[in-house]
Amino acid sequence: MGAARSLTAALAALLAGSVASATLVRAQAAGGAPGAVVREAAIGPDAALAPGRPDAPSPAQTPKPAEPDAVTGGPASATPDPAKSDPAKPDSAKADPAKSDVVKPDPDKPASAETAPAVTPVPADPLAAAIAARLSGPQPLLPRFGTKDRESVQAFYALGAFKPVWIVDGRFTPAAKSVIARLSAAGEDGLSPAAYPVPVLGAPGQPSSEAETAQAEVRLSAAVALYARDARGGRIVPSSLSKLITPVLDLPAPDAVLAQVAAAGDRAGEVLQRYNPRTAGYLALKGRLAALRGPVPAPAPGSSSTLSLPPGPILRTGMRDRRVPLLRAHFGLEARSPGTLDAAPGEPDLYDASVAAAVADFQRGRGIHPSGNLNAQTVMALSGSDPRGGAAGMGGTASEAALLVNMERWRWLPSELGSDYVLVNVPEFRLRIFRGGVLKDETRVIVGKPDSPTPLFSGMMEYAVVNPSWYVPPSILKTMLAQGRTGGFEVVRHGSTISLRQPPGERNALGFIKFMFPNQHAVYLHDTPNRSLFSHSERALSHGCVRVDDPFRFADSVLPDAWTSERLRKLIGKGERTIQLGQKLPVHLAYFTAYVDDLGGYRTLPDIYGYDARMRAALGLSGGEPAMVRGPAEPPRVVAARPEAAQPARKPRRPVVAQAPAPRRIAQRPVRAAADVFGEPGLMTPRPESTGRTHGWW
């Protein structure tokens, strides 16, 4: 199937005159240039992210908009009318869509227009034909823009008969100018403007050919689509950093992005900007990045705000280059230097003394060495990037690299966190609960050790279990059986399978309650018998799961109102009980080593799993050691009252009669086997060092 079939179907529909003229092409509104064509967007401004999800339909599966009804003017019904169906067709053909689309040719009849295979037509308009030819070629449109991306762009243009959407009458439309400004300012969001090169049109009086215009048109579309994908986290594959980093990225499809952005007119740049995260944490880091870089110097007098130049060598006085006319127009110079008694007028593409002087003035205003030569640093400054190394991907200080790395991590979270959700920041050892978008409560947590990290992903909490049992995972069952360490465990048979179960109780590895959000890593939030560990400042101590301080207080915030902490405490020791949440609650396990707190203070945290260095390398950033080696001071911990399990009534103790002390015999008492195994299901749990105690569960 794919984009090739959708392209063929779209072009066949265009030949029949039923798609482009009725629903899929309209004149650009809100200041669009005459003759500009944009595709009708059938989704809202924020829905453009949906096609990137795994369950989203591909462009070939997306139903076509219904044509307006000839009588009412409203959309025609997509449901077939049984009264108008062909009675000659068998019921099986009507019931089976796969068979109803297949038309078998009759060998006794000549081929007709209905039975002949669809042929991709060549658009009559020369520019449209050039766009179609460029999109059908094998050459990539941009680096990191693959074949499937190009086919998606091709399908988008096919729906509009390959008419341009960004360039009309040899000039950029208002929508194009708006997105060009956004692409040039990509550094504001921690992205690299160099990754989204803006095409250049011919200078005034030098119109571009159809092939050059088509190249500029499709490259701008590719830059827009690539920006939207990167804004949603498509620059790197998180699982390549660690197999335990598995967020589900909602990457938008190129055709959906182009349909949404191109239809926005002079607000196209604003619509494109919305693909970046809009959460408070991300915006706070973005503001911190802007403050760190400082204000960008104003452009030189007589020049426009930005200028994107095609690639080329360093220009020095006396050289000729196709970029020189663009520089002349940008700085307001004459198209060519005037002639004198000793020399004829200069050529438009000659990099002469007047152009070099204008470039030197620009360099001086931007803090660049005023050599007058057009070098890479000057080209970056002309495009709107910070020439002092502030653009993403061009290095910068370690503090700036930390900001860019953590801004990228915000892109791994869903575009909408939900009005109610739980956020665990692993390096901070802290859990926060939000209700109605407002922080309701927070608590300390224990997370995975460096050799058994807590996975990073988003899930949906569905239920809680009071008095949970712990089933020994297969990874350690064999070792326990071989060593005979099964005291305190029960043998459970499920058909031919045997497992060990630790019954509920004070010493259970999961404590009194666990909170379940099914996931591929088999981790969850739960209680723990060893409460003293929450007093440690560094709490990377578990085997992957997240242990919650005062789980009954946490339950008050996440369970239905009927299940108060008092009611839950009364269930302790009375058997396992499952409590369903009234509505699934999003849980986000995140990893932010730099953030802005509620008071506006900038905080950095230890990189306990060493992920920062990997991300800097993946993003092409420089940077040294982590910003700090010790976490921020925490307020004193409030110790919650520990509920006690129901105990059988004890007999009264007999009075003790004093006797002469017997000779003391020192004997080594073995540790109870039940105290030697602890941990979370599904993760390897090594045996701890023997301490001689029987209460070392955690």
Side-chain angles (χ1 to χ4, degrees):
M1 309 295 289
R5 181 170 295 183
S6 66
L7 173 59
T8 303
L11 291 177
L14 285 171
L15 284 177
S18 61
V19 177
S21 62
T23 58
L24 298 179
V25 180
R26 64 181 175 87
Q28 183 173 2
V37 177
V38 293
R39 281 71 179 165
E40 189 70 40
I43 50 179
D46 298 330
L49 305 179
R53 296 173 179 165
D55 57 346
S58 66
Q61 298 170 331
T62 304
K64 299 177 181 178
E67 294 188 1
D69 186 78
V71 178
T72 63
S77 173
T79 305
D81 186 354
K84 299 180 181 180
S85 60
D86 189 353
K89 291 184 180 180
D91 293 340
S92 59
K94 298 176 185 178
D96 189 352
K99 296 180 180 179
S100 62
D101 291 339
V102 178
V103 179
K104 296 183 178 180
D106 190 343
D108 298 330
K109 295 182 180 180
S112 63
E114 295 181 357
T115 59
V119 179
T120 303
V122 177
D125 180 71
L127 180 55
I131 293 175
R134 178 63 182 91
L135 289 171
S136 62
Q139 298 84 1
L141 303 182
L142 284 179
R144 298 194 297 116
F145 205 76
T147 302
K148 291 184 178 180
D149 296 323
R150 189 183 72 245
E151 291 176 350
S152 182
V153 174
Q154 188 179 24
F156 166 76
Y157 276 96
L159 293 177
F162 293 98
K163 295 290 185 180
V165 297
W166 309 116
I167 303 172
V168 175
D169 295 333
R171 295 290 179 267
F172 284 125
T173 65
K177 294 177 181 177
S178 182
V179 297
I180 288 173
R182 172 45 44 199
L183 297 176
S184 299
E188 296 176 358
D189 285 282
L191 303 175
S192 174
Y196 324 106
V198 176
V200 178
L201 296 179
Q206 296 180 349
S208 302
S209 64
E210 281 80 7
E212 293 172 339
T213 303
Q215 172 76 349
E217 169 76 22
V218 297
R219 282 179 66 87
L220 183 55
S221 290
V224 169
L226 185 60
Y227 177 98
R229 186 175 70 189
D230 289 354
R232 286 305 312 142
R235 286 200 287 178
I236 57 178
V237 179
S239 59
S240 66
L241 305 174
S242 169
K243 64 181 181 180
L244 297 178
I245 305 178
T246 58
V248 178
L249 303 179
D250 47 355
L251 302 180
D255 56 346
V257 173
L258 295 175
Q260 185 63 39
V261 175
D266 56 3
R267 295 180 56 252
E270 178 183 343
V271 173
L272 184 59
Q273 161 68 21
R274 292 179 187 173
Y275 285 93
N276 289 289
R278 286 173 280 171
T279 53
Y282 173 85
L283 295 177
L285 291 179
K286 180 180 176 179
R288 176 78 182 183
L289 179 64
L292 180 65
R293 291 176 173 175
V296 177
S303 67
S304 59
S305 57
T306 60
L307 172 65
S308 296
L309 295 173
I314 297 177
L315 292 185
R316 297 178 175 84
T317 304
M319 297 176 64
R320 295 177 181 273
D321 193 271
R322 59 173 179 159
R323 294 170 291 173
V324 176
L326 302 175
L327 292 171
R328 289 183 176 277
H330 180 73
F331 292 116
L333 304 176
E334 296 290 338
R336 64 175 66 194
S337 59
T340 64
L341 295 176
D342 299 325
E347 296 297 328
D349 61 349
L350 178 63
Y351 194 82
D352 56 20
S354 62
V355 180
V359 170
D361 290 340
F362 174 82
Q363 292 170 330
R364 194 174 293 107
R366 286 300 188 96
I368 306 173
H369 175 63
S371 63
N373 299 330
L374 185 69
N375 51 28
Q377 196 175 19
T378 306
V379 171
M380 282 189 60
L382 286 168
S383 68
S385 302
D386 189 345
R388 297 161 296 179
M394 298 300 295
T397 64
S399 298
E400 181 174 308
L403 286 169
L404 298 176
V405 162
N406 284 276
M407 289 173 68
E408 190 70 18
R409 287 178 177 139
W410 277 107
R411 307 182 198 277
W412 296 351
L413 296 180
S415 56
E416 296 294 338
L417 300 179
S419 59
D420 302 336
Y421 62 92
V422 174
L423 177 65
V424 178
N425 188 17
V426 172
E428 193 183 4
F429 314 120
R430 205 150 197 88
L431 176 151
R432 293 177 173 84
I433 308 160
F434 291 83
R435 288 292 186 182
V438 178
L439 179 64
K440 179 180 180 181
D441 201 359
E442 57 183 314
T443 185
R444 300 182 180 202
V445 295
I446 294 172
V447 300
K449 297 180 293 185
D451 57 353
S452 56
T454 294
L456 307 178
F457 64 97
S458 294
M460 300 294 290
M461 186 185 298
E462 299 180 1
Y463 61 95
V465 179
V466 184
N467 302 314
S469 299
W470 178 49
Y471 289 86
V472 180
S475 57
I476 62 174
L477 176 60
K478 184 177 180 180
T479 302
M480 289 183 60
L481 293 176
Q483 297 179 357
R485 296 187 295 115
T486 58
F489 287 80
E490 302 173 351
V491 177
V492 180
R493 296 180 180 271
H494 298 280
S496 59
T497 304
I498 299 178
S499 60
L500 291 183
R501 169 182 173 267
Q502 185 186 27
E506 292 184 353
R507 300 160 54 85
N508 188 281
L510 306 181
F512 288 129
I513 186 170
K514 64 179 181 179
F515 305 88
M516 304 298 294
F517 46 104
N519 59 83
Q520 69 185 72
H521 302 288
V523 300
Y524 38 85
L525 308 174
H526 67 83
D527 183 22
T528 179
N530 197 337
R531 316 300 303 172
S532 62
L533 294 179
F534 288 103
S535 299
H536 296 193
S537 59
E538 304 291 333
R539 294 190 292 276
L541 305 169
S542 82
H543 297 283
C545 282
V546 178
R547 306 173 187 175
V548 182
D549 191 12
D550 196 353
F552 294 95
R553 175 178 164 185
F554 176 66
D556 261 340
S557 300
V558 300
L559 294 183
D561 294 339
W563 292 98
T564 62
S565 59
E566 291 77 11
R567 184 180 179 186
L568 291 175
R569 292 173 190 273
K570 293 179 182 179
L571 297 178
I572 300 303
K574 296 183 179 180
E576 188 169 303
R577 177 73 175 268
T578 299
I579 301 173
Q580 297 289 338
L581 273 68
Q583 186 175 1
K584 293 182 180 180
L585 185 66
V587 177
H588 308 293
L589 304 184
Y591 193 90
F592 295 113
T593 54
Y595 67 100
V596 178
D597 61 22
D598 296 335
L599 300 178
Y602 179 64
R603 311 287 291 273
T604 57
L605 301 168
D607 180 18
I608 57 177
Y609 298 156
Y611 290 160
D612 282 0
R614 302 180 199 176
M615 286 195 66
R616 286 196 301 267
L619 295 173
L621 302 172
S622 63
E625 297 297 324
M628 60 181 305
V629 295
R630 180 170 295 181
E634 292 184 303
R637 173 174 173 252
V638 178
V639 181
R642 181 77 173 165
E644 297 191 6
Q647 300 288 344
R650 296 182 179 180
K651 297 180 180 180
R653 298 179 61 184
R654 296 180 179 180
V656 179
V657 180
Q659 296 181 353
R664 186 179 180 186
R665 297 178 60 187
I666 301 177
Q668 195 111 28
R669 297 182 61 188
V671 180
R672 291 181 59 184
D676 292 340
V677 180
F678 50 90
E680 295 90 5
L683 296 171
M684 179 61 187
T685 307
R687 181 177 180 178
E689 296 180 2
S690 176
T691 59
R693 303 182 190 179
T694 61
H695 57 278
W697 290 80
W698 52 280

